[in-house]
Amino acid sequence: MSQQEGLKKIVSHAKEYGFVFQSSEIYDGLAAVYDYGPLGVALKNNIKAYWYKAMVDAHENVVGVDTAIFMHPKTWKASGHVDAFSDPLIDNKDSKKRYRADVLIEEHIAKIESKIKKEVTKAQKRFGDAFDQAQFLQTNGRVVDYQKKITEINSEMKRCLEAEDFTALKQLIEDLGIACPVSGSKNWTDVRQFNLMFDTEIGALADGSSKIYLRPETAQGIFVNFLNVQKTTRQKIPFGIAQIGKAFRNEIVARQFIFRMREFEQMEMQFFVAPGDEMKWYEYWKGYRLKWHKALGFGEEKYRFHDHIKLAHYANAASDIEFEFAIGFKELEGIHSRTDFDLTQHQELSGKKLQYFDNQLNKSYVPYVVETSIGLDRMFLAVLSSALKEQSLEDGSSRVVMQIPAFLAPYKLAVLPLVKKDGLPEKARSILQDLKFDYAVHYDEKDSIGKRYRRQDAIGTPFCLTIDHQSLEDDTCTLRDRDSMTQERLTLQDIQLRLQQKVSISQILKQLEK
Ligand code: ATP
């Protein structure tokens, strides 16, 4: 299956079962803007809870805030977004499609990487058990040439971006023979800079309204509140402030479902440290965040770090956690060492001191900051990409199943009376009544039991509970496991215990402490 086909399957499944809809669909939609349906919002809330509990509840020295989307316009001057939050864009003259110049080049590199992968797979087949991948990568002539090419392209792209040399960037695209994926032509415009912030007016027009921006990141709401939070919580450095909230970017490339949206949600944490301590904390948070991802059990090989070749204006170190989406390895989360850039800038533009008095060092300073920043929607897509599977079963049939980790699943349990009579629906509803405030439980009595199991598989419900005639006599029911499809007859008490063990978020949070 091609990458685009893989993504298409996810998009249509997400729509069919009410996870994600195109925004304003009845008006033919709005590009790169999406709405979450009933199952989508449940999954999204569970991802948020996992992040918030791991970052805030699990860390005594991390606290939460919820700051406004609108901020004083000087905020964005101070942060550098007014002057520098732009992407290099390029248009194809034939298709009239617009692209990010750096993304076109990165996609070209990804193609070379997949050629390397193919060579490795071929050699693996040829040499069998005797195959030594590390040695092959170092010695195979073709692979070495590919790798050399990648290094050359990366270093030229880095040079162009750092020097803002857009003529050379266009030249690089031409030299690499990159063609527009839509028209297939190499007829490109010049590369130009494009600011990604949305703006609007605040106040009534008559009394002198002024231009303000929709925030392009949640971080600045944390920076400007640094002292408010530090003083009211009496936190001592090192400590962090975490927030989940909407961000807006007028993205140029907007073709990848919820991977790149114009309105999206971020989960960000700014960790304030003493100058000089930032690298220690940068390594700590890189490690902790990767652990958070891996605990989901999607497979260790799905993640890799990618250190930035072009550092943002505020950073002295930055790395992405990349995830293997249906569309290939892409950035899922960024971990950035932002130095004292933001607080110093806000101090200068606001004229207010943003310093911390360190009792241990007996001096005041502007703290350094290590940031972790993850897109909630991208995380949602990562979960869908890994969870959605088509399986062939032993009896020759097949099923579509979403193997969402149980604690993230929209419903934890579906309660299903075997038939719609003989008092079974009433029994089922009384069980649902007992459980519904502890777990997200779904009730379904339509269609055959087999069809109902399939429906729950397709939306990722980890357990189904079937109530039959015996249940009326001895209070036992059949618990069916989504992944193994095994069924067990258990008492209601045992079922409660099983749910506690298998769907609780605290188990996974405890794992992160190890
Ligand atoms: P990219 O290089 O993909 O544009 P970025 O480096 O600009 O991302 P950051 O500014 O570091 O992204 O934002 C932090 C996180 O926010 C990203 O890792 C990503 O998960 C998420 N994010 C950024 N832009 C978008 C978007 N347009 N749609 C959805 N999520 C986004």
Side-chain angles (χ1 to χ4, degrees):
M1 197 181 352
S2 78
Q3 291 188 345
Q4 280 313 317
E5 281 168 44
L7 184 64
K8 256 192 197 159
K9 284 219 159 129
I10 293 168
V11 176
S12 72
H13 193 87
K15 181 176 176 193
E16 183 180 349
Y17 289 95
F19 283 90
V20 183
F21 307 120
Q22 174 78 58
S23 159
S24 323
E25 197 188 57
I26 59 166
Y27 294 104
D28 296 332
L30 190 62
V33 187
Y34 291 89
D35 298 333
Y36 286 83
L39 293 181
V41 70
L43 174 56
K44 210 175 172 196
N45 283 338
N46 294 340
I47 297 173
K48 281 190 208 180
Y50 178 40
W51 184 85
Y52 200 84
K53 280 177 186 291
M55 300 302 281
V56 179
D57 299 353
H59 290 91
E60 271 176 45
N61 59 350
V62 179
V63 292
V65 291
D66 181 14
T67 69
I69 286 168
F70 291 141
M71 298 184 71
H72 193 287
K74 275 193 188 168
T75 309
W76 305 109
K77 187 76 192 154
S79 66
H81 284 82
V82 171
D83 299 318
F85 190 56
S86 44
D87 281 338
L89 69 83
I90 189 165
D91 292 352
N92 182 267
K93 289 185 195 161
D94 299 314
S95 66
K96 307 272 182 279
K97 291 276 174 204
R98 182 161 284 180
Y99 299 92
R100 254 172 69 177
D102 55 334
V103 170
L104 279 181
I105 297 168
E106 273 163 11
E107 281 169 359
H108 183 81
I109 292 174
K111 278 189 194 150
I112 306 179
E113 280 172 344
S114 72
K115 283 185 188 163
I116 296 179
K117 231 179 177 176
K118 267 193 198 142
E119 294 289 339
V120 169
T121 319
K122 252 192 339 204
Q124 243 160 1
K125 273 198 197 133
R126 196 162 1 118
F127 296 115
D129 288 345
F131 182 62
D132 180 340
Q133 184 164 328
Q135 195 194 6
F136 179 77
L137 289 175
Q138 275 171 15
T139 52
N140 179 277
R142 220 172 288 160
V143 170
V144 171
D145 284 348
Y146 285 143
Q147 265 157 352
K148 197 167 144 231
K149 184 85 195 145
I150 291 175
T151 313
E152 279 167 14
I153 300 173
N154 263 328
S155 86
E156 175 60 2
M157 178 166 75
K158 179 180 178 203
R159 191 198 66 74
C160 295
L161 291 172
E162 277 177 358
E164 304 209 340
D165 184 348
F166 298 126
T167 314
L169 198 61
K170 181 184 179 187
Q171 192 60 48
L172 181 60
I173 289 173
E174 287 177 343
D175 292 348
L176 294 172
I178 296 175
C180 166
V182 177
S183 67
S185 94
K186 297 171 188 168
N187 196 7
W188 297 108
T189 63
D190 288 341
V191 176
R192 284 159 294 147
Q193 284 288 60
F194 175 75
N195 194 297
L196 300 179
M197 279 200 294
F198 285 100
D199 59 51
T200 185
E201 305 282 323
I202 196 163
L205 285 173
D207 67 348
S209 57
S210 59
K211 179 158 137 179
I212 56 164
Y213 298 98
L214 298 189
R215 67 178 177 197
E217 62 177 25
T218 60
Q220 299 304 324
I222 293 178
F223 288 123
V224 300
N225 277 296
F226 159 68
L227 273 189
N228 283 338
V229 174
Q230 191 271 320
K231 285 187 175 148
T232 50
T233 57
R234 297 189 302 151
Q235 285 285 349
K236 286 195 165 47
I237 272 178
F239 80 96
I241 306 178
Q243 143 155 266
I244 300 176
K246 288 260 178 167
F248 304 82
R249 295 181 187 180
N250 200 359
E251 296 281 3
I252 302 162
V253 182
R255 282 186 298 273
Q256 291 160 324
F257 191 39
I258 54 173
F259 180 82
R260 191 174 297 287
M261 300 157 87
R262 297 199 165 115
E263 173 180 344
F264 58 101
E265 250 175 299
Q266 287 186 316
M267 305 190 286
E268 294 198 303
M269 195 264 321
Q270 311 295 319
F271 198 72
F272 300 89
V273 305
D277 276 357
E278 70 273 16
M279 282 307 148
K280 181 176 90 190
W281 288 107
Y282 174 68
E283 292 304 329
Y284 169 80
W285 284 110
K286 268 177 78 174
Y288 186 78
R289 292 305 306 152
L290 189 63
K291 213 169 172 189
W292 184 91
H293 287 286
K294 287 189 173 171
L296 294 171
F298 294 144
E300 308 244 320
E301 71 290 351
K302 292 228 169 208
Y303 303 89
R304 68 183 188 195
F305 278 117
H306 167 78
D307 295 329
H308 284 205
I309 50 166
K310 185 200 173 205
L311 288 176
H313 55 278
Y314 51 74
N316 68 357
S319 190
D320 297 335
I321 294 178
E322 291 188 339
F323 179 76
E324 192 172 19
F325 289 92
I327 45 176
F329 268 102
K330 302 263 177 209
E331 171 178 345
L332 172 57
E333 168 156 12
I335 294 117
H336 311 127
S337 172
R338 290 180 81 127
T339 68
D340 58 355
F341 174 84
D342 302 84
L343 289 179
T344 305
Q345 285 287 103
H346 287 307
Q347 204 171 241
E348 266 171 34
L349 264 88
S350 68
K352 309 269 170 15
K353 272 202 165 164
L354 290 173
Q355 297 196 348
Y356 170 82
F357 182 75
D358 193 320
N359 282 322
Q360 269 174 335
L361 300 176
N362 200 26
K363 65 171 187 185
S364 291
Y365 53 77
V366 177
Y368 269 47
V369 171
V370 174
E371 163 185 80
T372 71
S373 173
I374 175 169
L376 173 56
D377 312 86
R378 255 182 221 188
M379 187 59 209
F380 188 102
L381 183 60
V383 173
L384 288 196
S385 303
S386 318
L388 184 60
K389 290 182 186 146
E390 271 180 43
Q391 290 179 335
S392 313
L393 305 177
E394 276 174 12
D395 64 2
S397 64
S398 67
R399 69 166 182 164
V400 172
V401 57
M402 287 253 267
Q403 294 186 323
I404 303 177
F407 76 99
L408 291 183
Y411 295 121
K412 308 303 181 216
L413 181 74
V415 178
L416 316 171
L418 187 61
V419 288
K420 229 185 327 180
K421 57 181 185 188
D422 304 337
L424 299 189
E426 289 75 10
K427 178 74 180 168
R429 284 201 183 279
S430 86
I431 294 172
L432 179 130
Q433 195 61 26
D434 283 348
L435 295 174
K436 73 177 184 188
F437 294 121
D438 291 322
Y439 305 101
V441 186
H442 182 62
Y443 178 82
D444 191 4
E445 58 178 24
K446 285 176 227 90
D447 299 324
S448 72
I449 196 75
K451 271 196 182 156
R452 280 182 274 168
Y453 283 159
R454 289 289 175 273
R455 220 160 30 225
Q456 295 305 321
D457 286 346
I459 62 172
T461 309
F463 295 104
C464 286
L465 191 64
T466 304
I467 287 86
D468 56 18
H469 293 90
Q470 193 183 328
S471 314
L472 299 177
E473 286 159 26
D474 62 6
D475 254 2
T476 62
C477 308
T478 308
L479 191 71
R480 174 192 181 264
D481 182 285
R482 175 195 67 197
D483 299 340
S484 64
M485 291 189 290
T486 51
Q487 303 188 13
E488 266 181 285
R489 191 140 203 123
L490 295 170
T491 63
L492 285 175
Q493 231 175 4
D494 285 343
I495 287 161
Q496 291 247 28
L497 273 177
R498 184 67 62 87
L499 285 177
Q500 265 169 30
Q501 286 162 0
K502 298 280 182 182
V503 309
S504 112
I505 192 172
S506 56
Q507 301 289 346
I508 195 150
L509 290 166
K510 279 181 195 152
Q511 251 186 61
L512 299 181
E513 311 248 291
K514 284 177 196 154

